[in-house]
Amino acid sequence: SRINTMLNTGKLAGRTVFITGASRGIGKAIALKCARDGANVVIAAKTATAHPKLPGTIYTAAKEVEEAGGQCLPCIVDIRDENAINSAVQEAVKKYGGIDVLVNNASAISLTGTLETPMKRFDLMMGVNTRGTYATTQACLPYLKSGNNAHVLNISPPLNMKPVWFKGHVAYTMAKYGMSMCVLGMAEEFKKDSIAVNALWPRTAISTAAMEMLGGEQALRSCRKPDIMADAAYCVITRDSKSATGNFFIDDQVLKEAGVTDFDSYASVPGHDLLPDFFLDEAENIDPSRFGQQQSQSPAQETPAAAFEVIKSLITEDIIKSTGGTFVFDLQGENAGKYHLDLKTESGSAGVGELPSGDSADVTMTMDSADFNQMIKGQSDATQLFMSGKLKVSGNVGIAMKLQTLMSQVKSKL
């Protein structure tokens, strides 16, 4: 028979699990998995009031944890503030008597190049990802030393040193790898104390609110649900802490080793092609044509110039109003050249060359002309190209994401 989930075993009953960034997404999914065992869950996150675009607060997550069978302590914590971290740890110890497991899940992301990353954004990523993980672990360690089968689990990637994982977003990579370096060092440092320190990373993109903001609803179809990370995390933190330490685990591999054989239940859309996550070798050379159906095209529609004529014919007042941005496509390769798309001024425009106004574009997209053709045919989308390193976006990423609607209309016309 096919096993399609990791069942709860009760091993975390009465144990205290401290999770950062658990008001939504992967962190909340891990919290709920632990709750089903009857664990005491400490939610340390900064969302105390509802965000206009992101669902969930520490209080709504706490309610779900208690409904799932756990005890919960929601704490307002900005992970960059060690005083807030220490206060939450002390509250947890006072309420539950100690800390047995720490999950460093809180993370900040900005997939931007060096010139497009303001120092304020750099400091945010380093402060949340690397420093926040270090500070939270430091604050929990005195209690983990006397914990029951103590574990630290960082939601961070294997330390893959290939340049492709640095070139497009070096600041983000440094910040995530800082979390992974904590695993590398602390696993050895605290082995004598029987504290396991491991990393866990998803094989594929995960359908979270953050992923939807990065890639839109279309990207979510190529994702797995956060449950796969929750089940894998549960597997890791219930292992013997004396023997399972210093590992960089991948979610589905952990579950395969635990006996799970059917992964369709974890897919957002069962049977849909999955998008490999960052930092894994299999994601390095994604062929975007794997995503979506192949379509036959007439030779005239293979050139970017012809495509921009189609795009121009589709510009409407509504699209200009909803997008409000200007774009330059800097295409490389066989059909190299620059093409503009104005979805900001009153009538809009699209065609060969820079913007007719002479202004700088809000967004510049650099890619191979063959990849551009695949994108407008619907054989891949911008998110897939971006995550495989084949598309570089500079400028206002928020405006870039608004192109999805127009591109879906172009696809139907080609």
Side-chain angles (χ1 to χ4, degrees), residues 189-207:
E189 185 180 1
F190 298 104
K191 191 179 280 185
K192 66 183 185 301
D193 298 298
S194 300
I195 300 172
V197 186
N198 294 290
L200 177 66
W201 194 245
R203 173 92 57 197
T204 72
I206 299 294
S207 58

Side-chain angles (χ1 to χ4, degrees), residues 123-154:
D123 290 342
L124 173 67
M125 288 190 283
M126 293 300 286
V128 172
N129 302 358
T130 302
R131 189 180 187 275
T133 293
Y134 189 94
T136 308
T137 308
Q138 185 183 72
C140 289
L141 274 165
Y143 306 102
L144 290 167
K145 283 188 174 188
S146 55
N148 176 8
N149 196 42
H151 277 263
V152 176
L153 182 64
N154 293 354

Side-chain angles (χ1 to χ4, degrees), residues 283-294:
E284 186 180 345
N285 295 303
I286 301 170
D287 177 5
S289 66
R290 290 198 306 110
F291 301 90
Q293 299 300 311
Q294 299 290 333

Side-chain angles (χ1 to χ4, degrees), residues 43-58:
I43 293 176
K46 68 174 186 172
T47 309
T49 54
H51 187 284
K53 292 183 180 177
L54 298 172
T57 68
I58 59 173

Side-chain angles (χ1 to χ4, degrees), residues 59-350:
Y59 304 113
T60 58
K63 187 171 183 287
E64 289 184 59
V65 165
E66 288 172 351
E67 287 170 355
Q71 298 292 312
C72 192
L73 173 64
C75 298
I76 302 171
V77 177
D78 182 337
I79 210 73
R80 294 168 293 177
D81 178 0
E82 61 265 36
N83 293 323
I85 295 167
N86 289 328
S87 174
V89 168
Q90 291 309 313
E91 273 190 71
V93 171
K94 185 178 178 182
K95 183 163 184 177
Y96 299 125
I99 294 171
D100 303 298
V101 177
L102 166 63
V103 179
N104 286 305
N105 166 72
S107 192
I109 182 170
S110 180
L111 299 173
T112 45
T114 304
L115 293 174
E116 294 78 39
T117 307
M119 287 313 298
K120 186 176 180 181
R121 180 65 56 175
F122 178 93
D123 290 342
L124 173 67
M125 288 190 283
M126 293 300 286
V128 172
N129 302 358
T130 302
R131 189 180 187 275
T133 293
Y134 189 94
T136 308
T137 308
Q138 185 183 72
C140 289
L141 274 165
Y143 306 102
L144 290 167
K145 283 188 174 188
S146 55
N148 176 8
N149 196 42
H151 277 263
V152 176
L153 182 64
N154 293 354
I155 307 303
S156 66
L159 288 163
N160 187 337
M161 289 293 144
K162 290 188 176 176
V164 67
W165 298 120
F166 291 83
K167 69 174 185 178
H169 40 76
V170 66
Y172 174 64
T173 299
M174 287 166 66
K176 287 306 288 187
Y177 280 18
M179 296 175 72
S180 299
M181 291 168 77
C182 286
V183 171
L184 198 64
M186 292 176 188
E188 285 299 310
E189 185 180 1
F190 298 104
K191 191 179 280 185
K192 66 183 185 301
D193 298 298
S194 300
I195 300 172
V197 186
N198 294 290
L200 177 66
W201 194 245
R203 173 92 57 197
T204 72
I206 299 294
S207 58
T208 62
M211 185 65 193
E212 186 173 8
M213 284 181 74
L214 282 171
E217 283 186 32
Q218 180 61 31
L220 297 184
R221 297 172 62 82
S222 301
C223 294
R224 282 174 171 161
K225 294 180 280 193
D227 296 353
I228 191 167
M229 283 292 284
D231 283 3
Y234 180 83
C235 269
V236 175
I237 63 178
T238 54
R239 288 186 180 184
D240 178 11
S241 65
K242 293 182 178 67
S243 56
T245 191
N247 300 290
F248 293 88
F249 290 116
I250 304 299
D251 57 357
D252 59 5
Q253 190 59 42
V254 170
L255 294 173
K256 281 175 188 171
E257 289 171 9
V260 176
T261 54
D262 181 4
F263 289 85
D264 276 354
S265 65
Y266 293 118
S268 295
V269 180
H272 200 283
D273 280 310
L274 295 168
L275 186 63
D277 204 359
F278 286 95
F279 308 119
L280 303 179
D281 285 339
E282 58 260 44
E284 186 180 345
N285 295 303
I286 301 170
D287 177 5
S289 66
R290 290 198 306 110
F291 301 90
Q293 299 300 311
Q294 299 290 333
Q295 301 170 22
S296 60
Q297 308 295 325
S298 66
Q301 290 171 331
E302 291 290 349
T303 66
F308 274 90
E309 283 303 308
V310 174
I311 291 170
K312 186 176 180 180
S313 72
L314 293 170
I315 297 173
T316 64
E317 277 185 36
D318 285 345
I319 285 175
I320 291 170
K321 193 180 293 183
S322 62
T323 308
T326 56
F327 305 81
V328 165
F329 292 79
D330 186 357
L331 304 184
Q332 316 290 313
E334 187 178 349
N335 290 300
K338 289 190 176 182
Y339 298 83
H340 69 271
L341 175 57
D342 179 355
L343 298 177
K344 183 187 275 186
T345 57
E346 192 175 343
S347 55
S349 67

